[in-house]
């Protein structure tokens, strides 16, 4: 089954709710406004379900997972604002035709996030739980999200770590600044926090970091030089998604963690899909075999 684990599509009711908002995140016509990023003009065709379904089928995909755009910050809106947007996203994403599926996203603005809605979404068909990297940047984040992750692990589903909201861009910064600086810093923090705090608490959880975790696995030598242990240890339950990176970066990460740890994701429509030119066997691993292990039921999971 050829799989793209990372796409974005905003269905009609979700778009209407963004347009009805009076404070960021909001859509003003075709312009997206976020607190920390410059205005961004969206292309309506990028979020047209029929056009995107045709595009996914033309790409030869058997499965394409729709991800909530965590940089919007919806997970951290007050519950009364987050709930309609999250409901619209999940209801419409789960109703999309094949090959689409969806990741589940929770409300994180309450003192103690409730795992029950996440479990219900997983039982409705969501592939796993998505959390913003900003929610998992330290020990406190992994502890706070622990009950959510316990429910995910019990059902044998994976966690997908996606960049969250960006702080205001420095004056004069180019448009690519958020995607290249705070997004990758967030992923680095979440990856190292997972090693230090997440994995000890969740020994059986499968985790996938978007964008190759910002190339965090390549810092093993510095980790060892600064007192870290297990520089060369490869965690078989950790995966790295490829979006926005090409053959050179993917090949380098494969040398650090092995081919079995890398899965294909495009981040469509925000990036052009790039299947690394590493040979047919590697492409099969990235697009078929490895996603099946990431997304498939874990041994001993409860239905």
């Amino acid at each position: 089954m050829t799989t793209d684990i990372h796409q974005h599509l905003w269905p009609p009711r979700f778009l209407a709710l963004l347009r009805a908002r009076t404070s960021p995140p909001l859509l003003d016509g075709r312009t997206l406004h976020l607190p920390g990023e410059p205005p961004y003009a969206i292309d309506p065709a990028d979020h047209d379900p029929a056009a995107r379904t045709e595009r996914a089928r033309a790409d030869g995909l058997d499965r394409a997972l729709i991800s909530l755009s965590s940089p919007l910050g919806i997970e951290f809106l007050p519950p009364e604002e987050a709930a309609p947007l999250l409901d619209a996203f999940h209801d419409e994403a789960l109703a999309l035709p094949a090959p689409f599926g969806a990741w589940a996203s929770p409300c994180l603005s309450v003192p103690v996030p409730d795992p029950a809605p996440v479990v219900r979404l997983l039982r409705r068909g969501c592939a796993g739980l998505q959390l913003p990297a900003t929610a998992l940047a330290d020990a406190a984040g992994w502890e706070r999200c622990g009950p959510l992750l316990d429910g995910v692990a019990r059902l044998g589903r994976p966690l997908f770590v996606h960049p969250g909201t960006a702080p205001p861009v420095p004056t004069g910064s180019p448009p690519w600044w958020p995607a290249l600086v705070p997004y990758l810093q967030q992923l680095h923090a979440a990856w190292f926090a997972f090693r230090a705090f997440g994995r000890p608490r969740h020994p059986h959880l499968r985790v996938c970091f978007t964008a190759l975790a910002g190339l965090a696995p390549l810092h093993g030598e510095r980790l060892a030089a600064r007192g870290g242990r297990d520089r060369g240890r490869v965690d078989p339950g950790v995966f790295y998604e490829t979006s926005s990176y090409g053959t050179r970066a993917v090949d380098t990460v494969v040398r650090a963690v092995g081919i079995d740890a890398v899965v294909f994701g495009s981040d469509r429509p925000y990036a052009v899909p790039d299947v690394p030119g590493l040979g047919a066997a590697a492409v099969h691993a990235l697009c078929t075999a490895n996603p099946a292990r990431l997304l498939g039921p874990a041994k001993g999971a409860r239905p």
Side-chain angles (χ1 to χ4, degrees):
M1 179 178 286
T2 304
T3 300
D4 180 344
I5 73 160
H6 182 195
Q7 294 199 7
H8 296 278
L9 195 166
W10 299 347
R13 184 157 60 100
F14 182 82
L15 283 169
L17 289 169
L18 284 178
R19 288 196 171 96
R21 290 183 55 80
T22 57
S23 60
L26 66 85
L27 267 176
D28 181 7
R30 297 183 179 182
T31 304
L32 177 67
H33 296 272
L34 301 178
E37 303 192 27
Y40 178 80
I42 70 165
D43 183 345
D46 287 341
H47 300 287
D48 177 76
R52 288 292 301 279
T53 300
E54 183 178 346
R55 177 71 267 174
R57 291 172 179 168
D59 287 340
L61 294 175
D62 300 302
R63 193 175 195 186
L65 296 183
I66 300 300
S67 160
L68 181 70
S69 298
S70 287
L72 296 178
I74 290 169
E75 300 96 326
F76 288 102
L77 291 173
E80 64 276 11
E81 297 183 39
L85 286 159
L86 291 172
D87 288 346
F89 171 77
H90 293 123
D91 290 346
E92 293 185 290
L94 287 170
L96 290 170
F100 290 113
W103 293 98
S105 289
C107 178
L108 297 173
S109 60
V110 293
V112 180
D114 183 4
V118 170
V119 170
R120 287 195 293 270
L121 286 167
L122 297 180
R123 287 179 170 154
R124 285 178 59 190
C126 284
L129 172 66
Q130 175 180 306
L131 288 176
T134 48
L136 301 169
D138 52 26
W142 284 96
E143 181 67 26
R144 183 169 179 270
C145 293
L148 296 177
L149 299 173
D150 289 339
V152 171
R154 279 195 299 271
L155 292 174
R157 304 297 181 84
L159 167 67
F160 187 49
V161 182
H162 191 286
T165 55
V169 296
T171 302
S173 298
W176 48 256
W177 187 270
L180 268 293
V181 182
Y183 286 10
L184 299 191
Q185 291 171 341
Q186 294 171 20
L187 290 168
H188 277 211
W191 187 83
F192 282 105
F194 173 73
R195 284 186 64 125
F197 315 114
R199 177 53 87 208
R201 193 188 189 286
H202 304 283
H204 304 297
L205 182 68
R206 299 196 304 280
V207 182
C208 182
F209 291 87
T210 190
L212 299 176
L215 305 182
L218 304 185
H219 294 280
E221 292 163 328
R222 181 171 175 82
L223 175 64
R226 298 294 179 165
R229 297 181 179 180
D230 301 325
R231 177 181 71 84
R233 176 173 60 88
V234 175
D235 186 330
V238 177
F239 295 79
Y240 302 90
E241 177 265 347
T242 62
S243 63
S244 297
Y245 287 100
T247 300
R248 285 185 294 179
V250 172
D251 180 58
T252 305
V253 170
V254 166
R255 292 172 186 269
V257 300
I259 189 65
D260 292 342
V262 184
V263 294
F264 174 70
S266 68
D267 201 18
R268 190 186 283 279
Y270 305 119
V272 177
D274 188 353
V275 178
L278 300 176
V283 170
H284 176 78
L286 269 59
C287 297
T288 302
N290 298 348
R293 289 189 299 105
L294 169 65
L295 301 170
K299 185 177 180 180
R302 302 181 202 172

